[in-house]
Amino acid sequence: MKEDRRSPLRDANLDRSTAEHVPQTPQTQSPSYRLAFADVDFMGQEELRPVRLQLELLKFEMLMDQYQIDSTVVLFGGARIPAPADKEKARTQTLADLSRFYDEAREFARLMTRKSKETGNREYVVCTGGGPGVMEAGNLGAHEEGGVSVGLNIVLPHEQAPNPYVTPELAFNFHYFAIRKMHFLMRAKAICVFPGGFGTLDELFETLTLIQTGRMQRVPMLLFGRAFWERIINWDALADAGTISREDLDLFRYVENAAEAMEIVETWGPLDARTDIPDR
């Protein structure tokens, strides 16, 4: 039981512990007798989805508040991009060439963590998806600088685990992609997008849509590696077709290295969210 509880009523965790030591009878062994909040079979039922969504939203928020983390810098990027030392094992030559962005993500995370430590690890905390590749590089850079970093993993069909550089107390695991995406952005002071695949593209376009439509304030939206992004996305074709505004191309900036990204973050002035969408 927490010593600072405001309620005079009995603590739920104490009741859960007490219930585990009741006499073993047909009644106490029945699933119906389990405390609802401690019954994992009950909590996993389809009808409980709204409750599970709420719990995934709340657990992260409470722990981030507990560790007094007020803002983050988010690194999105490919899980398949190798460290330069491992680039010879890459499946394609393009992946091998993209390995330089592992080092750029690592260096950027080091620089951001140095800035974060000046705030007592409260502001500009590095946040990644907690996996390998670019995500690992971000958490590694923060670890090397002696700071903390967040990892937002998600349960996938194939076996996976957080990379070893995520701060253990800030290693999270999610069932719902939607809640995980909310947590990426709710404290974000900057979004850095490195080359990647479907997951990275999903995160990129969802963030751009939120900023474009005024549902999110403008923050530095930095795309590492202009050549990669212009090869896979024809931004001008979207603007020429009129499906986006030419002004929408100003919602993000290209950078090639950690130093460029750091300069933009440090000189960024506050910008209000859009109140309308150009050309609509």
Side-chain angles (χ1 to χ4, degrees):
M1 183 183 293
K2 291 173 62 178
E3 295 298 327
D4 60 349
R5 291 183 76 241
R6 289 173 292 181
S7 171
L9 300 176
R10 187 173 167 89
D11 179 69
N13 287 315
L14 181 57
D15 267 8
R16 183 182 62 180
S17 176
T18 301
E20 291 172 354
H21 299 93
V22 298
Q24 303 295 299
T25 70
Q27 291 76 23
T28 64
Q29 291 298 291
S30 170
S32 64
Y33 188 77
R34 299 172 191 158
L35 290 167
F37 65 85
D39 187 342
V40 293
D41 293 329
F42 172 70
M43 290 295 294
Q45 291 185 78
E46 185 172 352
E47 293 85 350
L48 271 291
R49 181 175 292 124
V51 176
R52 294 195 300 272
L53 285 161
Q54 182 180 16
L55 290 174
E56 289 212 337
L57 181 65
L58 190 58
K59 180 178 180 180
F60 178 89
E61 284 296 295
M62 289 176 65
L63 282 169
M64 293 290 274
D65 287 343
Q66 179 182 328
Y67 286 96
Q68 299 182 309
I69 295 176
D70 296 324
S71 70
T72 59
V73 173
V74 178
L75 275 63
F76 293 136
R80 306 184 189 195
I81 292 179
D86 298 322
K87 68 179 182 179
E88 301 304 322
K89 303 174 186 176
R91 188 169 58 86
T92 68
Q93 184 57 49
T94 298
L95 278 175
D97 294 340
L98 290 174
S99 66
R100 75 178 183 89
F101 288 108
Y102 184 103
D103 274 350
E104 293 300 339
R106 182 178 177 179
E107 176 63 14
F108 177 72
R110 288 184 67 255
L111 294 173
M112 271 327 323
T113 302
R114 193 174 301 167
K115 182 179 181 70
S116 177
K117 287 174 66 180
E118 294 173 359
T119 72
N121 292 315
R122 297 188 65 153
E123 304 279 356
Y124 300 101
V125 175
V126 168
C127 177
T128 80
V134 165
M135 296 173 279
E136 176 187 279
N139 295 120
L140 173 58
H143 176 76
E144 290 175 328
E145 196 61 30
V148 302
S149 68
V150 181
L152 275 58
N153 282 78
I154 190 158
V155 178
L156 298 173
H158 56 274
E159 189 174 339
Q160 57 95 43
N163 70 66
Y165 307 109
V166 177
T167 300
E169 295 80 8
L170 299 173
F172 297 90
N173 201 18
F174 291 89
H175 173 63
Y176 296 106
F177 265 102
I179 301 298
R180 178 177 180 253
K181 288 178 185 177
M182 284 184 65
H183 286 315
F184 272 129
L185 301 181
M186 285 174 69
R187 284 175 166 80
K189 274 194 173 178
I191 309 288
C192 299
V193 190
F194 293 80
F198 286 164
T200 304
L201 290 168
D202 178 41
E203 292 154 348
L204 166 64
F205 281 112
E206 180 143 20
T207 307
L208 280 176
T209 300
L210 288 170
I211 295 174
Q212 178 206 44
T213 57
R215 295 303 302 269
M216 179 177 173
Q217 288 186 339
R218 291 284 304 273
V219 297
M221 186 80 186
L222 309 178
L223 275 59
F224 277 72
R226 185 182 191 120
F228 173 84
W229 292 110
E230 290 190 338
R231 181 183 176 190
I232 64 168
I233 303 172
N234 192 335
W235 304 100
D236 287 328
L238 290 171
D240 290 343
T243 55
I244 66 170
S245 167
R246 182 67 58 178
E247 293 176 46
D248 291 333
L249 300 181
D250 295 330
L251 297 179
F252 61 87
R253 301 187 195 181
Y254 292 113
V255 295
E256 297 301 324
N257 55 57
E260 288 179 38
M262 192 69 185
E263 181 179 1
I264 292 173
V265 172
E266 291 197 309
T267 59
W268 186 266
L271 293 174
D272 293 333
R274 280 183 169 183
T275 56
D276 57 9
I277 300 178
D279 301 328
R280 184 178 292 185

